[in-house]
Amino acid sequence: MAETIRHVVVLGHPAEHSFNHTIAETYCQTVRECGQEAVLRDLYAIGFDPLLKDAERPGKPGFTPAPDVAAELDLLRDASVVTLVYPIWFGMPPAIIKGYVDRVLGSGVAPHDIQTGATQSLLHGKHLRLLTSSASTRPWLEEQGQWVSLRQAFDTYLSTIFSVRSHDHVHFDAIVEGTRDRLVEECRMVVHEKTREWSALVLSEHRRPASRLS
């Protein structure tokens, strides 16, 4: 029996019928059409707590992940792809997404490990994908210096410290309430095509001998 290729999709938007929900659902649907597994973690819907507790800080004596974090780690352990879907608010990801990074993706990762390059996170060797949106245009974000900052903090930095195999970022700008259905459909098609591309990449890797992936 072939090994299942799992994508864990982490969604950070409070509105059930938001553009981000549509994008996340399109991603999951496309992954399944490609014969792979998609697990959607709608952080608001599951009531995820983004607040890092003192006992959860890496390096604390007797460190043990909280039950809700342990459940997320179990899902991530067997994933090949981790995809974050979120809007950009005030030039930054929502607090619930940052909380997921703090409590889940960074679980057990101490500052010393990052500085010495000894990080052994659950993202090690996995693919990181980001699907984001903003009400502002990308040129405006670039003029404010926010686009470079975002890419550095949530693309390059996270990919480096968590030792991911690859990362990619698709951003949709000028997304506001009442965005035309035609534009939303165009964005859905972009996600559909990119997801097929990413799924094909992971499938080709799984078909290669393990020695060629090391």
Side-chain angles (χ1 to χ4, degrees):
M1 183 176 179
E3 180 183 356
T4 300
I5 297 175
R6 174 181 292 175
H7 299 239
V8 173
V9 183
V10 182
L11 171 63
H13 197 290
E16 183 179 355
H17 301 293
S18 66
F19 174 84
N20 290 92
H21 273 72
T22 297
I23 293 306
E25 290 165 359
T26 299
Y27 181 97
C28 291
Q29 178 182 345
T30 305
V31 165
R32 292 164 186 148
E33 290 172 357
C34 292
Q36 300 175 15
E37 179 186 8
V39 179
L40 177 61
R41 304 303 291 161
D42 183 340
L43 299 183
Y44 282 95
I46 66 176
F48 177 76
D49 181 1
L51 300 180
L52 180 71
K53 312 304 184 294
D54 182 49
E56 295 177 321
R57 292 166 58 201
K60 297 284 286 189
F63 168 77
T64 302
D68 61 334
V69 172
E72 299 301 318
L73 295 176
D74 285 341
L75 289 173
L76 291 172
R77 191 166 288 110
D78 295 326
S80 296
V81 184
V82 177
T83 301
L84 306 180
V85 184
Y86 59 87
I88 295 172
W89 289 339
F90 300 102
M92 295 174 286
I96 203 165
I97 288 290
K98 182 57 169 64
Y100 192 89
V101 173
D102 291 345
R103 297 191 64 218
V104 180
L105 301 186
S107 180
V109 179
H112 179 266
D113 297 330
I114 296 174
Q115 294 169 2
T116 60
T119 302
Q120 289 297 322
S121 75
L122 280 184
L123 286 185
H124 176 76
K126 303 182 188 301
H127 297 278
L128 177 65
R129 304 292 181 241
L130 297 96
L131 297 172
T132 62
S133 66
S134 64
S136 305
T137 64
R138 179 165 166 179
W140 188 87
L141 289 172
E142 291 176 344
E143 289 175 5
Q144 308 307 310
Q146 287 303 120
W147 184 248
V148 172
S149 298
L150 284 166
R151 293 299 299 266
Q152 183 64 33
F154 259 69
D155 292 33
T156 306
Y157 182 73
L158 292 185
S159 298
T160 299
I161 67 169
F162 292 141
S163 303
V164 302
R165 182 176 295 278
S166 75
H167 68 275
D168 203 353
H169 189 159
V170 176
H171 179 71
F172 301 98
D173 64 356
I175 301 297
V176 297
E177 291 290 339
T179 296
R180 301 191 322 272
D181 290 344
R182 180 177 178 180
L183 176 57
V184 173
E185 184 59 26
E186 291 173 356
C187 295
R188 287 187 67 253
M189 291 307 300
V190 170
V191 173
H192 178 75
E193 292 303 317
K194 289 296 293 186
T195 305
R196 286 177 59 86
E197 174 188 322
W198 293 334
S199 298
L201 170 65
V202 179
L203 178 60
S204 68
E205 289 180 349
H206 276 245
R207 286 176 171 172
R208 297 178 203 164
S211 60
R212 294 180 60 186
L213 292 177
S214 58

